[in-house]
Amino acid sequence: MTNGLPPAWIFILGALLVPLWKGRLKQGYLLLLSLLSLINLSQLQAGTYWTIRFLNYDLILLQVDRLSLAMGIIFLAIGSLAILYSLHVKESGQQMAALIYMGSSLGVVFSGDFFSLFFFWEIMAIASTFLIWYRKEKVSLDAGFRYLLMHMLGGCALLTGIVLQVISTGRMVLQPSAGSLASWLILIGFGLNTAFLLLHTWLPDAYPEGTITGSVFLSIFTTKTGVYALTRCFSGMEWVAYMGGAMALFGVVYALLQNDVRRLISYHIISQVGYMVAGIGVGTAFSINGGIAHLMNNLLYKTLLFMCMGAVIQMTGKRKLTELGGLAEKMPITCATCVIASLSISGAPGFNGFVSKGMLLSSMAEAHQPMLEWMLRLASVGTFLSFTKLTFFTFFSKNDRMEEVREAPVHMLLAMTSIASLCILIGVYPGLLFSILPHPPVQYPAYTFSHILGVLQLFLWAGLIFMLARNAFSPHAWIILDFDYFYRRAFRWMGWVFQGPLNDLRLATQEACSRKVQTLVRLSRNPLAFLSHPHKRKATDYDENLYRKPMGLGVLLAILFLFFYGLIYLLTS
């Protein structure tokens, strides 16, 4: 048996007590919650615990195995550093939303059945919406509403699929499924959170509009719980693998076109998640290890990138590359950590991204998937170019308007330098990462001569392209349209249909029905008036003697009808 609690409840119940604390005590309480959750995680042992009987089904709130433990470790580690980064936040509501969001994500990871997973899945969607709304600007309120709407649609698809799955199989246990309508609906629900193409538009729309700390939390959990769910239920599906390759390419192309720093990073979430999805879709033990390794590394460097850009936005009030520049001397620690994150996400030797990207590319070759391998390699070129653009135009390009800018607060720098150190540590000692992957033993030589040479050649070519075509990569103020343009056009047309033809039909139907109702009202007031000539009908005053005659006449007619009906029945029986 284990003495551990489901990690979700430490944060969800702990969030309810946040308004009781103020100032330094609140900051200490938030850090204490993180510490307690890490201690609790160390008590968990493999097995199934906290099972509740509900409607003849077992709800499993704590299923512990190597996959859920690996996810729990990285979620708690990076989530705790995100709490440290956000200690300056004053609004208790925003802190509560972040804790509930973090707790519900852990609830998804440790759920052992579909119902428990769905329960935490929906809490996660609602709590994360408030991290967007708490920015309290119209653009963030609108983006949060669209975000919530998309996740409600995904939740409906997921719930419908779960119900159909349970009806057809009689089982609620979280398990692989494929081929049925239920499995496709579940895949749509998971795919929306994972930002599958055509379902991805909520991500670059909402993440840049959240609060500075809220966007950090958003970058950690939603898409990664989607990848986890795919690993549980849809590993080895070739269609999913090619979706991952397409996501990797699409994300870098759109990232290169962005001017808003957080929108650029948001599109790279789609690209980096594509790497993970490709590994999960190939479905071998090696590729799944590569996908989960890349998930864990991505949580480090992508969270660090959001932290760095959040610090830049907080200290400068600017978020567009056309307005930034010259910050390397003003914010040297932020600059250094951003460079480390950029090298990590690009897969430079000595950094954690080099290890997991190499695993994924090797697993593609081992599984005889040359097209997927080259899709991911091409995406790597775009990744290097994107973050060369981000770091150069944010920190090193000339800008004389940044005279008064200072370095970020100490607690933010501490969180950023801690994550940067982990990026280097895992890059230098990849065995730390290999030891917690779901399919041991991991026998992958990360630093081979051919791999290092290949990556360096890629960097040289990409760097040469950037230098020769720097003007082409310069930030701009264009409006870049995504697939949501077509959604909005379609909904606008639907709105015209609803407000025009359908509304006219509704009004005509309502008017016709209203006339019938008025006729019936007049009939009920004076039934005998309708026995007169139609042109002589008119409303009359109430007369109780007038109303007695038709009632007696009606009773007489009813008796006569029953008499003849009974007579016919007797004669024919």
Side-chain angles (χ1 to χ4, degrees):
M1 287 293 292
T2 178
N3 295 322
L5 298 170
W9 297 110
I10 295 177
F11 288 102
I12 293 175
L13 296 178
L16 302 179
L17 302 179
V18 167
L20 301 179
W21 307 95
K22 302 293 182 183
R24 297 289 185 184
L25 288 176
K26 181 191 285 188
Q27 294 177 346
Y29 174 72
L30 294 173
L31 294 175
L32 179 62
L33 279 181
S34 300
L35 179 61
L36 289 176
S37 66
L38 291 169
I39 295 172
N40 177 68
L41 185 70
S42 68
Q43 303 298 313
L44 300 183
Q45 302 172 16
T48 299
Y49 310 96
W50 290 84
T51 300
I52 300 173
R53 193 70 177 171
F54 178 72
L55 298 178
N56 294 323
Y57 294 103
D58 289 330
L59 305 185
I60 303 170
L61 301 182
L62 186 58
Q63 178 173 289
V64 184
D65 57 17
R66 288 189 65 89
L67 177 59
S68 60
L69 269 178
M71 295 291 297
I73 289 170
I74 191 61
F75 272 7
L76 281 174
I78 202 68
S80 298
L81 290 172
I83 290 174
L84 174 62
Y85 179 85
S86 61
L87 285 180
H88 63 280
V89 174
K90 296 294 191 292
E91 300 103 326
S92 295
Q94 186 178 167
Q95 293 165 330
M96 292 173 67
L99 291 177
I100 293 172
Y101 179 38
M102 186 173 173
S104 56
S105 301
L106 288 165
V108 170
V109 166
F110 286 100
S111 292
D113 66 279
F114 276 111
F115 183 83
S116 300
L117 181 143
F118 177 78
F119 174 75
F120 288 113
W121 194 272
E122 292 304 293
I123 294 177
M124 186 174 66
I126 295 169
S128 57
T129 304
F130 285 92
L131 296 177
I132 304 168
W133 281 341
Y134 257 100
R135 190 175 159 209
K136 300 177 182 178
E137 295 182 9
K138 185 180 186 305
V139 64
S140 60
L141 295 174
D142 292 344
F145 177 78
R146 292 190 294 269
Y147 173 90
L148 183 60
L149 179 62
M150 289 290 287
H151 284 275
M152 287 173 62
L153 293 173
C156 289
L158 178 59
L159 180 59
T160 305
I162 290 172
V163 170
L164 293 176
Q165 176 100 337
V166 172
I167 290 173
S168 61
T169 64
R171 301 185 64 191
M172 188 80 79
V173 178
L174 200 63
Q175 60 187 349
S177 59
S180 65
L181 174 61
S183 65
W184 280 106
L185 289 170
I186 292 172
L187 180 59
I188 290 172
F190 290 162
L192 188 138
N193 272 36
T194 315
F196 278 5
L197 294 187
L198 302 183
L199 302 176
H200 71 278
T201 55
W202 57 269
L203 195 158
D205 179 40
Y207 282 18
E209 307 305 338
T211 64
I212 288 174
T213 56
S215 290
V216 171
F217 280 97
L218 288 168
S219 71
I220 298 173
F221 297 112
T222 299
T223 52
K224 310 313 179 295
T225 53
V227 172
Y228 166 80
L230 288 177
T231 307
R232 283 288 186 201
C233 299
F234 296 100
S235 61
M237 183 178 286
E238 187 175 14
W239 179 87
V240 171
Y242 280 95
M243 171 59 78
M247 290 168 63
L249 286 173
F250 176 88
V252 295
V253 170
Y254 266 75
L256 280 167
L257 299 173
Q258 301 307 311
N259 185 26
D260 185 300
V261 293
R262 290 198 296 183
R263 196 174 300 278
L264 185 154
I265 304 172
S266 297
Y267 272 108
H268 261 291
I269 291 180
I270 299 171
S271 178
Q272 293 295 304
V273 169
Y275 282 83
M276 307 167 205
V277 172
I280 302 306
V282 169
T284 65
F286 187 22
S287 69
I288 291 174
N289 275 340
I292 299 301
H294 201 64
L295 181 153
M296 300 176 80
N297 286 335
N298 179 265
L299 279 174
L300 293 171
Y301 53 67
K302 187 53 64 67
T303 304
L304 179 55
L305 286 165
F306 267 99
M307 287 181 174
C308 292
M309 292 304 105
V312 167
I313 294 170
Q314 177 156 313
M315 303 312 295
T316 67
K318 310 294 184 182
R319 52 185 286 182
K320 295 184 178 180
L321 292 173
T322 49
E323 302 170 345
L324 294 169
L327 295 177
E329 294 181 359
K330 305 294 182 182
M331 305 179 70
I333 298 176
T334 301
C335 176
T337 54
C338 186
V339 169
I340 291 172
S342 298
L343 291 171
S344 299
I345 195 173
S346 300
F351 299 89
N352 59 349
F354 176 82
V355 176
S356 54
K357 276 191 177 181
M359 291 181 70
L360 281 169
L361 292 172
S362 297
S363 70
M364 299 297 128
E366 184 183 85
H368 306 292
Q369 295 285 352
M371 183 177 293
L372 276 174
E373 181 183 354
W374 281 104
M375 290 171 78
L376 298 186
R377 288 188 185 277
L378 187 58
S380 296
V381 176
T383 301
F384 180 77
L385 289 172
S386 297
F387 289 98
T388 302
K389 172 182 175 177
L390 179 72
T391 54
F392 178 80
F393 289 107
T394 301
F395 295 101
F396 298 104
S397 64
K398 188 175 181 181
N399 189 342
D400 297 329
R401 293 172 294 176
M402 296 295 176
E403 295 291 336
E404 304 299 324
V405 176
R406 295 178 296 172
E407 186 57 278
V410 174
H411 65 277
M412 298 175 79
L413 296 178
L414 182 59
M416 290 153 59
T417 52
S418 298
I419 297 177
S421 301
L422 289 173
C423 289
I424 297 173
L425 181 64
I426 292 175
V428 176
Y429 299 105
L432 296 173
L433 177 65
F434 296 162
S435 64
I436 59 176
L437 292 179
H439 296 291
V442 180
Q443 298 177 342
Y444 169 67
Y447 287 92
T448 63
F449 177 77
S450 61
H451 185 201
I452 295 173
L453 181 62
V455 171
L456 291 178
Q457 287 177 334
L458 182 148
F459 278 25
L460 287 172
W461 279 109
L464 182 62
I465 291 171
F466 184 83
M467 294 301 296
L468 294 177
R470 197 169 78 180
N471 290 335
F473 294 104
S474 297
H476 50 74
W478 304 338
I479 296 175
I480 308 300
L481 299 177
D482 201 344
F483 283 104
D484 58 348
Y485 169 78
F486 300 103
Y487 298 163
R488 298 185 190 197
R489 295 280 293 184
F491 284 125
R492 190 174 301 167
W493 180 83
M494 290 173 60
W496 175 83
V497 172
F498 291 143
Q499 293 178 0
L502 288 182
N503 190 48
D504 292 342
L505 177 61
R506 177 188 68 82
L507 291 174
T509 304
Q510 180 177 324
E511 184 178 353
C513 292
S514 179
R515 287 198 300 267
K516 297 297 183 184
V517 169
Q518 292 299 323
T519 301
L520 292 174
V521 169
R522 290 196 298 271
L523 175 62
S524 65
R525 289 175 176 172
N526 189 3
L528 289 182
F530 280 78
L531 298 179
S532 61
H533 193 278
H535 298 292
K536 296 181 180 180
R537 293 176 188 167
K538 61 180 181 179
T540 58
D541 296 331
Y542 175 78
D543 182 358
E544 63 178 9
N545 293 320
L546 184 67
Y547 280 82
R548 289 172 181 166
K549 295 174 182 177
M551 182 179 292
L553 180 62
V555 171
L556 176 61
L557 292 174
I559 293 173
L560 291 174
F561 171 79
L562 290 174
F563 172 76
F564 286 109
Y565 181 83
L567 183 62
I568 294 171
Y569 177 79
L570 291 173
L571 293 175
T572 56
S573 61

